[in-house]
Amino acid sequence: MRRTMLFLPGNNPNMVMNGGVLGADSIIFDLEDAVAPDQKDAARELVRCALEMLDFGGCEIIVRINALDTPYWKEDLEAMIPLKPDVIMPTKVSGAAYIHELEAKMAEEEEKNGIEIGRTRIIPLLETTLGIENAFEIARSTKRMAALYLGAEDLTADLRCRRTKEGNEIAYARGRLVCAARAAGIDAYDTPFTDVEDLAGLKKDAELARGLGYTGKAVISPRHVDIVNAVFSPSKEDVAYARDVFAAMEEAKEQGKGAVSLRGKMIDAPIVERARQVLEAAAQIGGMLDE
Amino acid sequence: MSKLAGSLREAIAASGLRDGMCISFHHHLRSGDYVLNMVLDEIAAMGIRDLTVNASSIHDGHAPMIEHMKSGVVTGLETNYIGPAVGRAISEGVLKNPVIFRTHGSRPSDLEQGVSKIDVAFLAAPTADPMGNCTGKIGKSACGSLGYAFVDAQCAAKTVVITDNLVDYPLYDWSISEDFVDYVVQVDAIGDPRGIVSGTTRMPKDPIALRIAQTAARAIDASGLLKDGVSFQTGAGGASLATADFLKQIMLEKHIKGSYALGGITGYIVDMLNEGLFEAIQDVQCFDLKAVESLRTNPRHMEITASRYASPTAKSTAAGSLDVVVLGATQIDLDFNVNVHTDSKGYIIGGSGGHTDVAACAKLTVIVAPLSRARMPIVVDRVLTVSTPGSSVDMLVTQYGIAVNPARPELKEALQKAHLPVKDIGELKALADKINGAPKKREIKKDRIVAKVQNRDGSLLDVIYGV
């Protein structure tokens, strides 16, 4: 499940320690923007200890490393790859060449540590206009690619416009990124909603992203996790309908019928596929299938 | 006749106070209270010594009493809670006799039953008339309920009311009646309003506290007790307060209307009353200005005495009808015993207050606590001090899961059915030790007892040794 991807500052012991219990599907240990330059090594050390010692309860583990034009990213990878995080998140990704440079170093570290090459996946942060324009190229640049992630704050600076809650200024980027990700067969993560207190605004923003086809949304506050999870989870009605779809398919099969209809509508392949996705998601969330 | 004394000294002298007696105070002015300090200063100046103070609670604002302990003016203390400032001094041996720790319920019970006696009660009163009718609802030092003070007035041999808002006789909306009052003293100020009640009680933002609270609320819902007519009490501390907020959301979603909320009352509980989620509030103590205002203006918000709150010898109590209580813990052990008296080094930092009472009475007692604080595990093999016996505790909710008392298998089953993260308490302890490292075992010298912790029935639960 990739409904929520929660940022945890890599230099905050309380947050790092408790990252697994905040309800997020994925947690991002941030070595980049949340950590001041003179704290980079301390954050690396704290995250290293946490990954060595603690169990994060099945959360997908992501480490956001520093950009490739900084002196930190290689050390980040050297410290993190041996700990087998699920995903490395590079920032300010502008094209396939960037990913190729990154994955060469990742492969080097994997080999050095006896880890299967290609095990560590990549979710790049696309937060420049060039990155958005090259989204499909980036999405297909490596087999490691797990999802694309839109970062709207830096993007709007690059676009030379103001970031608003309505998000009209990032409508194109949202559409372009999700289309590129889906075309490449991977997930798409929406940008975080940055007003921690505005929970109604958050819900609206998450619903917009879900409506566009996004898999989930990054969050910068633990308080946002449950709302985003709920928006990106199938509803009870969705689950009931999906079950009915499969029941109707089964019944038609028994009766030897070719065409299957449910509630007066034909069931075609996309409907069955959506139903399968809904039941799969519900099974992963747990509990929804008991009722 | 006139009960008005010209000065505090005059009232003390008239009360007949002498060496070796017991004087009492309530704690409704909390850390902003001036009365305990001013009375002890005056008594010391009069040369009276060897007194026992019986106070419902001692807060950090009462730190000046440490000097009176050193000088022998105060040699005994009977109370339900001691804040860290005075607690540390007592742990270090400043008080001649061991502290007697009671609970908010057993204190009035023991006074009413004659088990303990007060010679002179000094009652801080935010508003009083010259005959001693008094209330906490109005005045510049308004604190709301005077719940803990009723028993002092009723049981003390002499009662002195001390006020900074003297009004004409008769005060019409009185809480404590003149028939129990011997003397009235007017002073400039009985307390610092900033320390008496907070302006607003803030909901915690700590994501860990919120996660614990959310899990606790879901567990309470799963227990089956959250239905029409439910009654509950939650503390004013972080996760307890947040639990009330999550319960509120569930009650609104499910259209549940509760019966009453009990205890120390915050603005959040007042909001729940005003939104129709409860029929009434039974208030023994107000924690913020919103609660004070509500008590003054809303007849459904009732002031109750400490006896009615939780006395084990009362014919019935509000605690006795309680469905759910959410409480905190400094430590909890593998037998679910809870410590709220001492810190990990053994220093006195608190006390039961009503913890032991409501835990014993409620149908469901929920302890909310993080797995560790500042790298000290909260779940331990054995608590340093037993404040509330494990037999009164039904479950512990941490951010890493819920441990259910083995005596409640049906509760465990209900929580599992609701897909809540139920774990064995031993598992939680192992997890805490794994994360924090097992703390070094602390050597406690057992040569000096500084406090005795009584259960609500008066039996000895534990002793606290000097540090």
Side-chain angles (χ1 to χ4, degrees):
Chain A
M1 289 296 288
R2 288 208 180 102
R3 297 168 299 177
T4 39
M5 188 166 66
L6 171 65
F7 276 98
L8 303 168
N11 57 346
N12 180 329
N14 193 39
M15 292 292 283
V16 166
M17 198 172 85
N18 288 295
V21 298
L22 298 169
D25 294 324
S26 308
I27 46 180
I28 308 168
F29 294 102
D30 189 10
L31 303 178
E32 199 224 10
D33 275 359
V35 181
D38 61 352
Q39 291 282 311
K40 296 288 184 195
D41 54 346
R44 224 178 268 134
E45 183 60 14
L46 182 66
V47 173
R48 189 184 63 73
C49 289
L51 290 180
E52 263 176 12
M53 300 278 300
L54 303 177
D55 166 21
F56 291 96
C59 287
E60 184 177 57
I61 304 293
I62 303 173
V63 179
R64 179 160 85 162
I65 59 165
N66 289 283
L68 269 59
D69 59 358
T70 70
Y72 310 115
W73 73 278
K74 285 186 179 169
E75 278 182 79
D76 290 344
L77 286 182
E78 286 159 12
M80 294 300 138
I81 293 289
L83 302 164
K84 298 185 184 172
D86 297 304
V87 176
I88 291 292
M89 177 182 285
T91 61
K92 300 185 183 66
V93 176
S94 52
Y98 191 109
I99 297 296
H100 293 148
E101 187 181 356
L102 171 72
E103 72 167 342
K105 177 69 177 166
M106 285 170 68
E108 188 186 317
E109 292 307 313
E110 283 169 338
E111 190 175 17
K112 207 189 289 175
N113 291 282
I115 296 166
E116 180 197 343
I117 292 176
R119 178 195 182 278
T120 321
R121 306 194 75 191
I122 296 174
I123 298 181
L125 177 49
L126 275 53
E127 51 186 338
T128 62
T129 49
L130 191 56
I132 296 299
E133 288 302 321
N134 290 333
F136 184 57
E137 170 197 307
I138 294 167
R140 289 214 300 178
S141 62
T142 171
K143 284 183 178 170
R144 293 177 187 263
M145 201 59 69
L148 297 183
Y149 163 35
L150 173 67
E153 301 307 311
D154 284 20
L155 177 65
T156 43
D158 203 15
L159 283 168
R160 301 184 199 179
C161 64
R162 205 163 59 84
R163 179 84 176 95
T164 67
K165 276 192 183 175
E166 296 71 31
N168 292 329
E169 68 284 0
I170 58 163
Y172 168 76
R174 270 180 163 149
R176 173 118 191 177
L177 185 138
V178 70
C179 189
R182 294 306 183 197
I186 59 172
D187 288 339
Y189 265 120
D190 190 37
T191 189
F193 187 74
T194 52
D195 186 341
V196 174
E197 303 296 329
D198 181 6
L199 300 182
L202 166 73
K203 186 164 181 270
K204 204 170 152 192
D205 198 48
E207 283 169 346
L208 172 65
R210 188 182 188 202
L212 289 171
Y214 276 82
T215 324
K217 189 172 177 66
V219 293
I220 53 164
S221 165
R223 292 174 63 201
H224 286 185
V225 169
D226 287 347
I227 291 171
V228 174
N229 275 349
V231 169
F232 285 95
S233 298
S235 66
K236 282 180 182 166
E237 293 73 29
D238 293 338
V239 173
Y241 179 73
R243 281 177 157 168
D244 289 349
V245 167
F246 277 94
M249 293 288 291
E250 197 61 33
E251 195 183 321
K253 202 173 151 187
E254 278 171 18
Q255 294 172 0
K257 284 185 189 170
V260 185
S261 72
L262 177 66
R263 296 174 199 168
K265 282 186 183 171
M266 289 298 290
I267 301 178
D268 54 12
I271 290 181
V272 176
E273 175 56 18
R274 262 202 300 277
R276 189 191 61 73
Q277 289 169 5
V278 164
L279 292 182
E280 197 178 282
Q284 284 186 46
I285 292 162
M288 293 191 75
L289 298 180
D290 295 355
E291 290 162 28
Chain B
M1 79 175 275
S2 172
K3 294 181 182 176
L4 269 179
S7 66
L8 180 57
R9 179 173 285 223
E10 206 177 283
I12 294 169
S15 74
L17 186 72
R18 56 179 191 277
D19 290 0
M21 283 186 161
C22 179
I23 58 176
S24 86
F25 302 90
H26 68 73
H27 73 281
H28 288 285
L29 305 180
R30 303 206 293 170
S31 218
D33 176 40
Y34 291 162
V35 168
L36 185 144
N37 294 335
M38 79 169 76
V39 169
L40 286 181
D41 287 349
E42 198 62 50
I43 284 171
M46 291 166 75
I48 303 170
R49 296 173 55 80
D50 193 22
L51 295 175
T52 294
V53 169
N54 184 331
S56 47
S57 288
I58 296 293
H59 289 264
D60 285 356
H62 298 134
M65 79 184 294
I66 295 168
E67 289 306 313
H68 296 302
M69 291 176 178
K70 283 182 187 164
S71 65
V73 174
V74 176
T75 53
L77 178 60
E78 302 183 16
T79 188
N80 314 332
Y81 174 98
I82 305 177
V86 179
R88 189 177 182 93
I90 290 172
S91 289
E92 289 172 347
V94 74
L95 188 66
K96 185 181 169 192
N97 300 315
V99 172
I100 305 290
F101 271 117
R102 292 193 178 86
T103 69
H104 281 338
S106 69
R107 179 177 186 268
S109 172
D110 280 0
L111 286 167
E112 285 163 356
Q113 303 295 315
V115 175
S116 56
K117 288 190 167 58
I118 299 168
D119 294 300
V120 187
F122 294 94
L123 257 59
T127 292
D129 70 23
M131 287 301 172
N133 296 298
C134 57
T135 180
K137 294 176 193 169
I138 49 175
K140 66 178 179 180
S141 306
C143 58
S145 177
L146 285 180
Y148 297 116
F150 286 82
V151 69
D152 298 54
Q154 287 162 10
C155 294
K158 298 282 181 185
T159 298
V160 180
V161 163
I162 300 170
T163 187
D164 55 6
N165 186 34
L166 190 67
V167 297
D168 289 340
Y169 182 87
L171 171 66
Y172 62 90
D173 189 13
W174 47 268
S175 296
I176 290 171
S177 169
E178 62 182 300
D179 43 328
F180 297 113
V181 179
D182 296 277
Y183 309 102
V184 177
V185 180
Q186 188 175 15
V187 296
D188 291 338
I190 60 168
D192 176 357
R194 287 170 300 179
I196 297 172
V197 284
S198 48
T200 53
T201 308
R202 285 183 189 278
M203 193 56 76
K205 290 190 173 170
D206 169 25
I208 312 305
L210 292 174
R211 179 59 51 178
I212 294 168
Q214 188 183 35
T215 308
R218 288 177 59 202
I220 292 165
D221 188 20
S223 77
L225 287 169
L226 201 61
K227 56 190 180 194
D228 280 344
V230 67
S231 56
F232 77 68
Q233 173 170 344
T234 61
S240 303
L241 187 62
T243 305
D245 200 46
F246 284 111
L247 284 174
K248 173 178 162 179
Q249 290 168 27
I250 298 173
M251 290 173 80
L252 284 169
E253 275 166 28
K254 296 190 171 181
H255 306 290
I256 293 167
K257 181 155 185 160
S259 166
Y260 66 94
L262 176 64
I265 299 298
T266 62
Y268 282 97
I269 301 295
V270 170
D271 287 343
M272 291 176 81
L273 176 71
N274 292 338
E275 288 171 44
L277 293 172
F278 288 109
E279 288 288 343
I281 291 175
Q282 305 210 50
D283 185 341
V284 72
Q285 182 183 16
C286 296
F287 282 130
D288 58 28
L289 287 173
K290 198 168 189 175
V292 174
E293 171 67 20
S294 170
L295 181 71
R296 180 166 55 229
T297 56
N298 188 345
R300 288 174 183 268
H301 186 155
M302 303 178 285
E303 180 179 28
I304 62 166
T305 68
S307 297
R308 171 162 166 175
Y309 172 44
S311 165
T313 53
K315 290 180 179 172
S316 76
T317 62
S321 299
L322 201 57
D323 288 319
V324 180
V325 63
V326 182
L327 300 164
T330 312
Q331 291 178 317
I332 180 165
D333 67 24
L334 298 178
D335 294 323
F336 288 84
N337 296 306
V338 172
N339 174 16
V340 286
H341 278 89
T342 48
D343 68 10
S344 59
K345 292 178 178 171
Y347 284 105
I348 294 169
I349 53 157
S352 173
H355 198 288
T356 314
D357 299 302
V358 288
C361 292
K363 291 193 184 87
L364 179 68
T365 298
V366 182
I367 302 293
V368 287
L371 200 64
S372 53
R373 290 191 184 96
R375 290 200 58 214
M376 289 308 297
I378 301 301
V379 187
V380 294
D381 285 323
R382 178 78 187 160
V383 288
L384 272 182
T385 308
V386 178
S387 309
T388 293
S391 57
S392 299
V393 174
D394 298 305
M395 63 168 147
L396 162 70
V397 181
T398 73
Q399 73 271 42
Y400 283 90
I402 306 170
V404 180
N405 192 324
R408 297 292 308 271
E410 80 295 349
L411 178 63
K412 184 175 178 180
E413 199 179 314
L415 302 192
Q416 283 170 330
K417 211 172 158 189
H419 301 283
L420 286 161
V422 177
K423 291 194 164 72
D424 183 81
I425 194 161
E427 266 180 83
L428 290 178
K429 184 190 175 293
L431 190 58
D433 287 349
K434 187 183 166 198
I435 293 171
N436 301 288
K440 268 190 213 163
K441 213 166 174 81
R442 193 168 173 80
E443 286 301 318
I444 305 237
K445 284 186 196 162
K446 297 193 171 175
D447 54 348
R448 182 176 157 80
I449 292 172
V450 295
K452 296 177 180 177
V453 180
Q454 291 185 355
N455 203 348
R456 59 196 307 258
D457 63 2
S459 62
L460 186 69
L461 258 182
D462 212 339
V463 293
I464 299 173
Y465 295 98
V467 180

